Amino acid sequence: EAGVAQSPRYKIIEKRQSVAFWCNPISGHATLYWYQQILGQGPKLLIQFQNNGVVDDSQLPKDRFSAERLKGVDSTLKIQPAKLEDSAVYLCASSFSTGANVLTFGAGSRLTVL
Amino acid sequence: GQQLNQSPQSMFIQEGEDVSMNCTSSSIFNTWLWYKQDPGEGPVLLIALYKAGELTSNGRLTAQFGITRKDSFLNISASIPSDVGIYFCAVRSSNTGKLIFGQGTTLQVKP
């Protein structure tokens, strides 16, 4: 089966610019996650979707970050305006259902903010 | 907040050696997971542990769920170069249901 697809793989922007990341989960996976992984740290959950509804966005900086999964399949994560501390790898993952321990991760989108 | 502490932070070993790393928490968790992240890739699940005291193997990997439910360890026997990567422990929060990751143990293997 195809894995979790993410694009772009790399993005370099200046602070205060905007950026968007795209994720296509594994077919049939109802739950989609966006994680932020800062260099030297473990992934931190930003937002979790169940189909097209938000399950948890408690750690999403909502003043600058937004995410949507309008049709319950692919998803976009947007940052506007970006700050230096947003430099990180943004990992998308999917699972069959909420509460599943087997998450399949994409390769990530590496963001550098200058 | 809930935190996981992994040790060691990094390891540099010779090919063929055995490796041991662990993960501790001040809170009790009922599910412990071990993931591996290869350079430039996302984490991949290695082993899942669901019962205190449980010992589970996956090839050369063995993981144990601590009897107190506050720790877990991962052993790799006879390491090979492709074992290189970052190993993360993770737990599922009983409050929020979210997966919480440790900060990782970076493993380097010298051929």
Side-chain angles (χ1 to χ4, degrees):
Chain A
E1 80 185 345
V4 175
Q6 290 190 245
S7 68
R9 287 296 310 271
Y10 306 92
K11 189 74 176 179
I12 301 174
I13 62 173
E14 295 189 349
K15 60 183 179 182
R16 291 187 289 273
Q17 287 186 323
S18 62
V19 62
F21 302 114
W22 173 83
C23 172
N24 190 33
I26 290 176
S27 177
H29 278 191
T31 309
L32 184 148
Y33 315 76
W34 283 101
Y35 282 85
Q36 180 192 57
Q37 186 177 20
I38 292 172
L39 186 65
Q41 298 181 19
K44 183 186 83 172
L45 181 68
L46 292 176
I47 188 167
Q48 177 178 338
F49 293 94
Q50 176 71 11
N51 296 311
N52 61 350
V54 175
V55 173
D56 187 326
D57 64 356
S58 57
Q59 297 196 83
L60 187 74
K62 298 180 186 65
D63 57 334
R64 298 182 301 104
F65 286 63
S66 65
E68 60 184 15
R69 193 185 184 200
L70 293 177
K71 296 183 179 179
V73 180
D74 55 354
S75 174
T76 56
L77 175 70
K78 297 179 182 178
I79 307 174
Q80 182 180 15
K83 292 186 175 181
L84 297 177
E85 59 261 35
D86 298 332
S87 294
V89 175
Y90 291 86
L91 294 163
C92 179
S94 69
S95 65
F96 185 73
S97 63
T98 299
N101 291 317
V102 183
L103 272 62
T104 302
F105 283 84
S109 295
R110 180 178 296 276
L111 173 66
T112 302
V113 182
L114 303 176
Chain B
Q2 295 164 327
Q3 273 194 315
L4 297 176
N5 296 307
Q6 289 190 245
S7 64
Q9 191 172 1
S10 62
M11 306 176 75
F12 191 92
I13 62 169
Q14 195 78 32
E15 181 178 1
E17 289 183 350
D18 296 343
V19 172
S20 184
M21 60 190 78
N22 75 319
C23 183
T24 61
S25 171
S26 57
S27 302
I28 289 174
F29 294 102
N30 294 318
T31 300
W32 288 77
L33 309 167
W34 285 94
Y35 280 81
K36 182 195 177 195
Q37 186 173 29
D38 289 330
E41 300 295 330
V44 174
L45 181 66
L46 298 174
I47 293 177
L49 301 159
Y50 300 105
K51 186 177 177 182
E54 178 182 6
L55 188 71
T56 298
S57 293
N58 178 6
R60 293 178 297 105
L61 277 60
T62 301
Q64 184 158 27
F65 187 161
I67 197 71
T68 64
R69 292 186 284 161
K70 292 184 177 181
D71 62 351
S72 176
F73 70 75
L74 176 70
N75 286 345
I76 305 173
S77 62
S79 59
I80 58 178
S82 62
D83 290 333
V84 164
I86 306 175
Y87 291 80
F88 292 101
C89 62
V91 294
R92 183 166 294 284
S93 169
S94 55
N95 294 335
T96 65
K98 291 191 294 191
L99 277 185
I100 302 167
F101 285 82
Q103 79 275 28
T105 292
T106 300
L107 178 64
Q108 297 185 58
V109 179
K110 183 179 180 180

